[in-house]
Amino acid sequence: MNKLVLNFKSKESKKIKNSKNYLGGKGANLSEMGRMGLPVPPGFTISTKVCEIFYQNKKKLNSKLLGEIKKELKIIEKDVSKKFGDLKNPLLLSVRSGARVSMPGMMDTILNLGLNDKTVVSLAKKTSNGRFAKDSYRRFIQMYGNVVMGVENYHFEELIENYKLTKGVLLDTDLDEDDWDGLIKDFKKVVKEKTKKDFPQNVYQQLFGAINAVFLSWESNRAKVYRKLNQIPSEWGTAVNVQSMVFGNMGSDCATGVVFTRNPSDGSNDIYGEYLINAQGEDVVAGTRTPQYITKKARLDAKVNELSMQETMPEVYKELFKILKKLEKHYKDMQDVEFTVENNKLWILQTRSGKRTAKSAVKIAVDMVKEKLISKKEAVLRIDPNSLDTLLHPTLDEKSSIEVIANGLPASPGAASGKVVFTSEEAERLNDMMQDVILVRLETSPEDIQGMHAAKGILTARGGMTSHAAVVARGMGRPCVSGSSEIDINYEQKIFKTSSKEIKEGDIITIDGSTGRIILGNVPTVKPEISGDFSKLMSWADNIRKLKVRTNSETPLDTKTARDFGAEGIGLCRTEHMFFDEERILSVREMILSKTQEDREKALKKLLPHQKKDFKEIFKIMHGLPVTVRLLDPPLHEFLPKSQKEISEVASVVGANIKEVESRIEELHEQNPMLGHRGCRLGISFPEIYEMQCRAIFEALCDLKNDKQKFAYPEIMIPLVSTEAEIKIMKNLVINTARKVQDENKIKIEFLVGTMIELPRAAIKAKDIAKHAEFFSFGTNDLTQTTFGISRDDSGKFLNDYIENKIFKVDPFVSIDEGVKDLVKIAVEKGKKQNKNIKLGICGEHGGDPKSINFCSKVGLNYVSCSPYRVPIARLAAAQAEIKK
Ligand code: ADP
Ligand code: MG
Ligand code: MG
């Protein structure tokens, strides 16, 4: 077994396979940087394995482990020539959590551990800097008091604010040694009052208390919520990093900062970040002081006067720059780096692959191929297909007139409109009611994660481009404008003011995360184009993938959009959607309410020209590509009139009285319509409906051919088949109608007839069905419903319980379930056995889900079909599936 506690420099950590799993992301990278010879303060990692043991051992650290930790401490002490708890030259430590993947919601880092009433005096003497020593001690009490002892942070903040008020100063930096001394006493009093315990003076008690707290935080509510949203398994556990402190708060030749090796928002190859002089730890991201830029260029671009690090600390900047380049070369990816400068000496405290917008991810991947850092395949694998969503979604229509009421930082791109809310709870509440909201906060914290998730966009008054709000919003793909000092928020009155306007809760605003604009009201949006780097990346993906990508579409607009996005045909054209149009619904109702075949045929005749017209347009747009048209599928009651007004309208059209119509509606009522008279069952009972639809399809094609227009290849699809006899009868109906229309027009049209596989029986009896089907299209929405016997529309009520109890890992309607996969596999195998040329596709919602696409590729389908805006996502996912094969 591996050692449980590993020094950053230990040779052993190099040998550990999947070191991130064992040491956590932060620990693995700290030790890797150590081996690269970068200036990393000495320290060690307590592995994730210990977290597991901790929970098996009734949440206690065993004594053997404590011994190992003490041994490792000795090594650090020797390294830095300081001693833990020493009265001459005390060693201070930071205790940092570190899971496999970076996880906001985990324990906050504790800095300056090892200070107590005595060591603080030694530190002051040793550094001849009393203010620094006291500031560090009060920070430590605050952090430890909060994180380990559970005293709410506002108690401490309030004390500081009061102190500043009495003194008549604005900034923490205006407080001197004596002020901090006074506050230290008050802080300790608060701790005692709230916890009934003294603030621990024993440094080992401090250390073990902190390590304990990191492990406990793995099961905190915040962490659980984050894990659930990001599908992180709870077995992973966290590691703990213990590291000697370096100080960015010792004076004006000290600083702390965060920097990306490339621009995380647009991907340009310039380092980008923020720093603060004379500051420590999270000061940069906390939003209490406004940080300054790292590079002169960024400062000038932002039109800011406060000097950049490049200007204030040119030598240190140069060294930082070199290290960033080295890190990028080493990791072959854009890095997010945390550093501290202590008396002009640079220390690197963390590196990880940087969160970025989809736009920047695409640019960086394409650039890195040009720079020969990565291959095209790697570039294709780098992009999370789902993240493309943000590039495909509408942006503000610059032609529309807008009223900009304030500006902030363009923290996460994209446009979002919605009602203003000031709390995460309200955001969630309205989101549950299908309303779009913009979450407006002074700043956000990990408690806001769910609210941010529920919001369409996020606006904050404080914090920079690396603030919590900015980083989390980019990760979630939510548009975000951060640090807008032009807005003045009042939580109590639920309003925010700008220089010109007062916005109340519930008012609608739009934020533009790409420019930082805050705009009054709703703003129209436009469809984006795939061009530049994006289209280059997509062309690499297209060269790799074998799986075709089609779209689900039944309107000319969607069909055009999908073709522009690269769709290679239509996998599902739902004819019933064409029925809902205001003009047509009356004829549809007439048709349904008809008692005799004769009456029904009369109504169908009225519908024929409408359907024909729709088909013509769609076939034209998809010329040269296949279009799968599904014949009428839903239960008829969906079209029935509901209100009294509608009923009397229909009554007059069909020449019946209201009573008669109502009794016909009563007759058509079904207990369980999803399992009732629908799909090909309609075609069996009322063949004239399917005949009309086929006639519309083939007449449309003949017209196009006559007009010498280019058109699509039709594939006629029979829904809800479960038996061989059904498909046989329906296929004959289609062929006979097609033949009739072709003879009438003296034109020959090639077409296929096939079926959906959306019932378990159809999958199991696929061999028989394949005798009469030229293609199978897996309707995995219904197949999932009927496999589980769960109605998708009603599953919302209990789905959460199923996920919480780990019965479902994910919603089976989002990612295809194992059982449903088995049915698909059976059907593919049996279908091919009967007809080795059978065409195979999927048209359920799963066709746009990358995980499910991976399955489709493996099981040997020919194509997936998804909604128009997911077409590029599916193209990329299909390429990734091919590479992973
Ligand atoms: P997070 O996971 O939230 O990023 P970190 O463990 O990286 O938390 O700690 C947050 C910040 O605390 C760091 O960015 C750094 O500024 C400060 N910090 C952590 N360890 C040290 C250290 N050894 N010396 C000085 N500052 C530190
Ligand atoms: Mg943190
Ligand atoms: Mg960090």
Side-chain angles (χ1 to χ4, degrees):
M1 194 168 95
N2 290 321
K3 272 183 75 175
L4 294 176
V5 182
L6 282 132
N7 194 289
F8 294 163
K9 284 187 201 153
S10 96
K11 295 215 174 65
E12 231 182 299
S13 59
K14 194 177 170 185
K15 285 183 239 143
I16 296 172
K17 268 193 227 133
N18 298 324
S19 62
K20 278 194 183 153
N21 299 357
Y22 195 71
L23 300 172
K26 200 180 286 168
N29 284 339
L30 280 168
S31 89
E32 197 155 339
M33 287 196 293
R35 288 196 301 272
M36 283 168 74
L38 299 185
V40 175
F44 56 85
T45 304
I46 304 168
S47 91
T48 53
K49 182 80 193 158
V50 178
C51 189
E52 195 185 314
I53 299 171
F54 175 82
Y55 279 101
Q56 286 162 359
N57 192 24
K58 299 194 185 113
K59 303 184 194 169
K60 277 200 202 75
L61 302 166
N62 67 42
S63 55
K64 186 163 156 270
L65 181 83
L66 300 186
E68 272 191 59
I69 292 173
K70 284 185 176 162
K71 239 198 273 161
E72 282 302 329
L73 262 182
K74 289 272 170 292
I75 302 177
I76 302 184
E77 287 178 338
K78 222 165 136 196
D79 224 349
V80 299
S81 320
K82 291 179 188 173
K83 271 179 108 163
F84 195 45
D86 192 40
L87 294 187
K88 274 195 224 110
N89 194 7
L91 166 69
L92 302 192
L93 299 171
S94 76
V95 176
R96 321 170 61 185
S97 60
R100 286 192 203 183
V101 291
S102 152
M103 246 179 82
M106 288 285 304
M107 191 200 79
D108 295 307
T109 298
I110 292 175
L111 303 178
N112 312 320
L113 189 141
L115 281 175
N116 57 27
D117 294 349
K118 291 191 179 127
T119 51
V120 72
V121 180
S122 340
L123 183 67
K125 228 188 266 165
K126 178 81 195 165
T127 57
S128 320
N129 191 341
R131 184 192 183 279
F132 151 73
K134 302 290 161 66
D135 175 39
S136 302
Y137 190 25
R138 73 86 192 172
R139 283 174 188 265
F140 174 51
I141 300 174
Q142 192 172 345
M143 282 190 260
Y144 197 93
N146 174 239
V147 174
V148 181
M149 303 179 79
V151 181
E152 286 193 81
N153 201 30
Y154 72 88
H155 294 298
F156 301 113
E157 288 298 337
E158 233 166 53
L159 284 170
I160 301 179
E161 287 309 311
N162 287 340
Y163 213 97
K164 286 196 285 194
L165 263 173
T166 337
K167 212 184 159 183
V169 297
L170 276 177
L171 297 174
D172 289 9
T173 38
D174 294 329
L175 297 178
D176 61 24
E177 179 176 355
D178 290 341
D179 299 328
W180 289 128
D181 236 351
L183 277 165
I184 286 168
K185 290 200 185 83
D186 294 345
F187 278 16
K188 284 197 291 192
K189 232 185 271 161
V190 166
V191 169
K192 175 86 195 205
E193 219 178 273
K194 298 287 161 202
T195 68
K196 312 277 174 272
K197 281 184 205 139
D198 287 315
F199 188 79
Q201 293 293 313
N202 178 313
V203 292
Y204 282 99
Q205 191 191 336
Q206 293 175 354
L207 178 61
F208 298 138
I211 294 171
N212 229 56
V214 174
F215 288 139
L216 287 176
S217 76
W218 179 252
E219 289 296 342
S220 68
N221 276 334
R222 262 161 56 176
K224 281 192 200 157
V225 166
Y226 187 84
R227 282 207 288 275
K228 198 166 138 199
L229 287 175
N230 293 278
Q231 292 165 25
I232 296 171
S234 67
E235 308 87 71
W236 281 8
T238 180
V240 186
N241 299 290
V242 177
Q243 187 176 37
S244 73
M245 281 296 299
V246 290
F247 299 101
N249 58 334
M250 269 166 85
S252 59
D253 58 353
C254 303
T256 183
V258 182
V259 61
F260 292 87
T261 54
R262 303 191 186 209
N263 189 308
S265 120
D266 66 15
S268 60
N269 194 357
D270 296 318
I271 70 168
Y272 187 88
E274 294 168 325
Y275 85 117
L276 270 175
I277 290 180
N278 200 7
Q280 188 175 56
E282 311 261 50
D283 289 357
V284 175
V285 286
T288 38
R289 271 164 72 191
T290 303
Q292 290 152 240
Y293 289 98
I294 300 279
T295 63
K296 187 173 171 190
K297 181 173 176 292
R299 169 177 84 79
L300 293 176
D301 286 348
K303 302 195 181 72
V304 166
N305 292 327
E306 283 77 23
L307 290 184
S308 65
M309 180 178 177
Q310 189 174 10
E311 294 156 297
T312 55
M313 301 180 161
E315 290 307 314
V316 183
Y317 170 82
K318 261 185 227 154
E319 194 194 344
L320 176 65
F321 187 86
K322 254 193 233 148
I323 289 175
L324 295 180
K325 289 290 150 194
K326 198 164 165 184
L327 280 172
E328 212 181 58
K329 252 214 174 108
H330 180 82
Y331 286 101
K332 298 188 186 334
D333 195 9
M334 188 261 259
Q335 296 292 297
D336 166 357
V337 178
E338 295 172 9
F339 66 90
T340 283
V341 181
E342 175 181 315
N343 305 130
N344 277 322
K345 160 123 185 71
L346 176 65
W347 293 97
I348 304 295
L349 295 173
Q350 185 172 347
T351 191
R352 61 181 159 205
S353 119
K355 288 230 160 67
R356 63 206 82 178
T357 62
K359 181 179 170 196
S360 132
V362 168
K363 175 157 171 58
I364 290 172
V366 172
D367 282 352
M368 285 191 166
V369 171
K370 277 189 221 150
E371 294 160 27
K372 300 207 162 55
L373 223 50
I374 58 174
S375 68
K376 285 180 186 166
K377 269 189 190 163
E378 278 171 301
V380 164
L381 286 174
R382 278 284 163 88
I383 312 295
D384 169 9
N386 280 322
S387 76
L388 295 180
D389 205 32
T390 57
L391 294 181
L392 297 166
H393 270 283
T395 55
L396 286 189
D397 181 1
E398 294 299 335
K399 281 190 226 103
S400 59
S401 72
I402 55 173
E403 183 181 347
V404 178
I405 52 172
N407 283 286
L409 299 171
S412 176
S417 303
K419 287 185 176 165
V420 167
V421 297
F422 294 97
T423 64
S424 286
E425 293 74 47
E426 187 65 4
E428 283 182 71
R429 196 181 68 83
L430 291 184
N431 180 55
D432 286 345
M433 294 163 57
M434 311 297 284
Q435 301 196 23
D436 294 348
V437 302
I438 305 289
L439 179 63
V440 181
R441 303 280 300 160
L442 282 173
E443 58 207 293
T444 62
S445 66
E447 284 90 48
D448 291 318
I449 299 266
Q450 276 170 310
M452 295 173 78
H453 202 77
K456 287 281 170 301
I458 296 128
L459 168 61
T460 67
R462 292 196 209 137
M465 295 286 284
T466 51
S467 63
H468 180 266
V471 173
V472 174
R474 282 200 290 272
M476 285 181 179
R478 294 286 181 285
C480 173
V481 173
S482 71
S484 171
S485 50
E486 297 172 23
I487 66 169
D488 184 10
I489 301 177
N490 187 324
Y491 283 148
E492 249 119 70
Q493 296 176 14
K494 297 191 179 155
I495 54 165
F496 76 82
K497 286 186 192 157
T498 70
S499 56
S500 59
K501 280 265 163 345
E502 186 178 297
I503 306 291
K504 291 189 295 294
E505 184 171 66
D507 288 351
I508 291 180
I509 62 166
T510 297
I511 59 165
D512 180 6
S514 318
T515 62
R517 288 176 300 178
I518 302 157
I519 302 158
L520 194 66
N522 247 318
V523 180
T525 51
V526 288
K527 187 182 95 191
E529 269 176 24
I530 299 182
S531 60
D533 291 330
F534 190 7
S535 91
K536 191 169 274 170
L537 185 91
M538 291 311 295
S539 75
W540 296 341
D542 289 344
N543 281 337
I544 294 167
R545 74 184 161 92
K546 301 244 165 63
L547 205 58
K548 297 261 182 210
V549 176
R550 300 194 196 177
T551 190
N552 297 352
S553 166
E554 43 272 328
T555 68
L557 182 71
D558 276 357
T559 307
K560 175 89 179 47
T561 302
R563 187 151 198 175
D564 289 346
F565 282 162
E568 296 160 300
I570 291 181
L572 177 63
C573 176
R574 285 169 287 209
T575 47
E576 60 272 12
H577 281 226
M578 302 169 171
F579 285 177
F580 283 106
D581 200 272
E582 223 173 306
E583 265 180 81
R584 311 167 186 185
I585 189 77
L586 256 183
S587 315
V588 176
R589 286 175 180 159
E590 193 184 332
M591 180 244 321
I592 297 169
L593 294 168
S594 312
K595 278 200 161 150
T596 65
Q597 184 176 345
E598 212 185 340
D599 285 348
R600 201 159 27 247
E601 277 174 356
K602 224 170 68 198
L604 283 167
K605 267 215 177 87
K606 289 190 208 162
L607 281 170
L608 177 72
H610 292 298
Q611 285 239 293
K612 187 170 151 186
K613 186 165 151 273
D614 290 334
F615 286 137
K616 252 169 104 165
E617 276 188 74
I618 289 170
F619 290 153
K620 220 158 58 180
I621 299 169
M622 272 298 167
H623 65 82
L625 296 169
V627 169
T628 306
V629 180
R630 178 178 73 185
L631 301 181
L632 191 66
D633 177 54
L636 295 181
H637 79 100
E638 280 191 17
F639 304 102
L640 286 177
K642 299 205 172 66
S643 68
Q644 277 306 316
K645 185 174 159 268
E646 287 172 338
I647 291 177
S648 61
E649 217 173 10
V650 179
S652 80
V653 171
V654 296
N657 64 39
I658 292 177
K659 273 263 155 52
E660 279 173 325
V661 172
E662 280 174 344
S663 83
R664 180 78 180 123
I665 292 174
E666 188 65 19
E667 263 172 57
L668 284 166
H669 173 80
E670 287 179 308
Q671 290 302 338
N672 198 343
M674 285 311 289
L675 302 178
H677 200 181
R678 53 168 290 216
C680 67
R681 296 162 201 170
L682 290 173
I684 300 285
S685 306
F686 312 117
E688 55 278 9
I689 300 179
Y690 276 15
E691 272 163 22
M692 180 281 282
Q693 293 197 297
C694 290
R695 178 164 279 278
I697 293 166
F698 287 99
E699 285 190 3
L701 291 162
C702 288
D703 281 7
L704 289 170
K705 198 159 185 179
N706 271 329
D707 296 347
K708 305 224 159 21
Q709 301 251 28
K710 287 192 259 175
F711 53 87
Y713 303 114
E715 301 182 348
I716 316 295
M717 178 154 78
I718 314 298
L720 218 73
V721 165
S722 56
T723 65
E724 179 185 350
E726 284 167 324
I727 179 74
K728 198 170 162 191
I729 296 171
M730 288 297 115
K731 187 181 184 183
N732 278 335
L733 179 148
V734 176
I735 291 178
N736 288 337
T737 314
R739 195 172 292 146
K740 236 187 263 164
V741 178
Q742 296 186 46
D743 288 348
E744 284 163 20
N745 289 274
K746 300 197 177 60
I747 281 177
K748 203 160 161 38
I749 307 261
E750 299 286 323
F751 66 96
L752 301 181
V753 183
T755 178
M756 285 183 89
I757 301 289
E758 51 188 333
L759 292 171
R761 190 184 196 282
I764 290 164
K765 287 294 191 186
K767 193 157 181 283
D768 296 337
I769 291 172
K771 286 182 204 157
H772 313 281
E774 289 159 298
F775 65 87
F776 282 170
S777 175
F778 291 95
T780 49
N781 295 348
D782 270 335
L783 191 56
T784 304
Q785 295 203 91
T786 50
T787 299
F788 278 109
I790 287 178
S791 140
R792 177 165 67 155
D793 301 328
D794 297 320
S795 66
K797 286 183 202 141
F798 55 86
L799 198 67
N800 234 345
D801 301 338
Y802 267 60
I803 290 178
E804 231 145 63
N805 286 298
K806 298 188 181 150
I807 300 165
F808 288 162
K809 270 206 193 107
V810 288
D811 180 346
F813 293 104
V814 173
S815 272
I816 194 164
D817 160 75
E818 292 302 321
V820 177
K821 279 185 191 173
D822 282 353
L823 282 172
V824 173
K825 266 186 231 159
I826 290 171
V828 166
E829 237 165 69
K830 296 199 168 178
K832 277 190 174 162
K833 206 173 256 168
Q834 175 65 42
N835 169 5
K836 69 179 189 323
N837 295 322
I838 194 161
K839 245 195 197 184
L840 299 165
I842 179 174
C843 63
E845 220 102 324
H846 300 102
D849 166 60
K851 270 196 210 136
S852 311
I853 291 172
N854 194 37
F855 164 74
C856 294
S857 162
K858 267 207 296 214
V859 79
L861 300 194
N862 304 97
Y863 69 87
V864 297
S865 187
C866 57
S867 69
Y869 279 92
R870 292 200 76 83
V871 166
I873 295 170
R875 284 161 67 196
L876 183 61
Q880 293 184 348
E882 193 61 42
I883 296 171
K884 285 181 201 150
K885 245 182 194 171

